[in-house]
Amino acid sequence: RRVHGDSCGRMFVVQGAGRIAISLLAAIGIVTRALRSKSLSISGGVMAFFVGFVTMLCGLQQASVLLMFFFSSSRFTKLGQERKQRLVHDYKSGGQRNYVQVLCNGGPQTLVCCAMLWFDSQRLFNSNFTEVNTSRDQTMSWLMLALLGGYACAAGDTWASELGILSKTPPILVTTLKQVPPGTNGGVTPTGLTASFAAGALMGISFYFPTLCQLALDGAVDNFAVIAKQALLIPVGAIAALFGSLIDSFLGAVCQYSAYDVNKKVVVDGPMPGCEHISGVNLLNNNQVNLISVALTCCFTAIMGQLLF
């Protein structure tokens, strides 16, 4: 028995060390690519390394969602840069993120990953999480759903912001339903909402397929009921993204000051001379709104998942 226990212990150490090494190398590779493409600043790269390492350390589903969020958001951020510069004051070409922006978009999800490692590190290192099932493993299922919801919200907000501002349809303020200039905090368009929903669905897909791989490894891939139920992760991601995007828009309309510079014909944040107030009060900035939206969506998705799984 002691020999068997020592053997299992050594295997656990080897598997754990291997996962740590792979997570380190993957995080370094992603951050290096982001720095070269100017998607991240130096401080953003440091924070992204920590977020990426902790997330990928937890398993395939977590890594897949994170990578899909990063690559898709980076791609859409660079679309229509010239038009965005004309419409938004202080727009940064390339969408370069600093450590605050990385933390506000990925901080709650990273805390969720830390909780996963804290509650069930041995099982995570021995094998990846198999399926979301609150009756079998409530705590881990809640955490996995919260992670999915957080990245669905972050992706949905990014897609909606980056694509919505390019829409030919004028945005409407979510609180009054009146037309506002493109770039106004709290303004939504059909294009933006559709993009948000699609982003969440993509996050759900990126979570679902690694789950199928794990089910196959566990010999449960022929269980149609399990596979069909796990497919609900896709609409869950889509709904979470739409929810998060609307929360973000509502907070932006109420708690962020938006004004229109009549000379430069751009939307500015905060009261400035020669600018006409559009909506909101100067209470929160964009990063704070993102953080609150992601955190609330994490909780919302865990509750929604409890009803479905």
Side-chain angles (χ1 to χ4, degrees), residues 55-68 147:
T55 303
M56 288 184 283
L57 194 61
C58 288
L60 287 176
Q61 289 102 324
Q62 297 91 328
S64 177
V65 171
L66 171 64
L67 292 174
M68 186 62 72
L147 177 90

Side-chain angles (χ1 to χ4, degrees), residues 25-218:
L25 291 173
I28 291 172
I30 293 169
V31 170
T32 300
R33 182 185 184 280
L35 290 173
R36 287 177 178 173
S37 64
K38 297 183 179 180
S39 297
L40 295 171
S41 66
I42 298 297
S43 67
V46 173
M47 182 60 67
F49 170 78
F50 174 74
V51 170
F53 172 67
V54 173
T55 303
M56 288 184 283
L57 194 61
C58 288
L60 287 176
Q61 289 102 324
Q62 297 91 328
S64 177
V65 171
L66 171 64
L67 292 174
M68 186 62 72
F69 162 70
F70 172 74
F71 287 113
S72 66
S73 298
S74 297
R75 177 68 63 180
F76 285 123
T77 297
K78 295 181 179 181
L79 289 178
Q81 291 188 35
E82 292 183 2
R83 176 172 168 79
K84 293 172 184 175
Q85 288 175 336
R86 293 196 302 266
L87 296 174
V88 181
H89 180 66
D90 289 339
Y91 175 79
K92 289 184 179 181
S93 179
Q96 195 175 61
R97 264 62 171 174
N98 59 29
Y99 78 97
V100 176
Q101 292 168 308
V102 174
L103 182 63
C104 290
N105 281 281
Q109 302 93 306
T110 307
L111 288 177
V112 167
C113 288
C114 289
M116 291 179 191
L117 294 170
W118 175 265
F119 282 114
D120 210 352
S121 60
Q122 184 169 354
R123 188 165 63 82
L124 279 170
F125 279 117
N126 276 310
S127 64
N128 285 282
F129 184 80
T130 302
E131 61 177 292
V132 175
N133 189 330
T134 55
S135 61
R136 179 183 299 175
D137 193 343
Q138 188 177 63
T139 300
M140 191 60 69
S141 294
W142 280 353
L143 292 173
M144 294 297 283
L145 288 162
L147 177 90
L148 171 60
Y151 278 115
C153 173
D157 176 59
T158 302
W159 286 34
S161 299
E162 300 297 341
L163 297 180
I165 196 172
L166 301 176
S167 174
K168 295 181 179 179
T169 304
I172 59 172
L173 196 65
V174 72
T175 50
T176 64
L177 302 183
K178 294 181 179 179
Q179 285 190 7
V180 289
T184 301
N185 294 308
V188 297
T189 64
T191 300
L193 293 176
T194 301
S196 181
F197 189 84
L202 184 61
M203 295 304 108
I205 291 171
S206 67
F207 192 102
Y208 176 60
F209 278 105
T211 303
L212 287 184
C213 293
Q214 287 301 308
L215 289 171
L217 291 174
D218 292 346

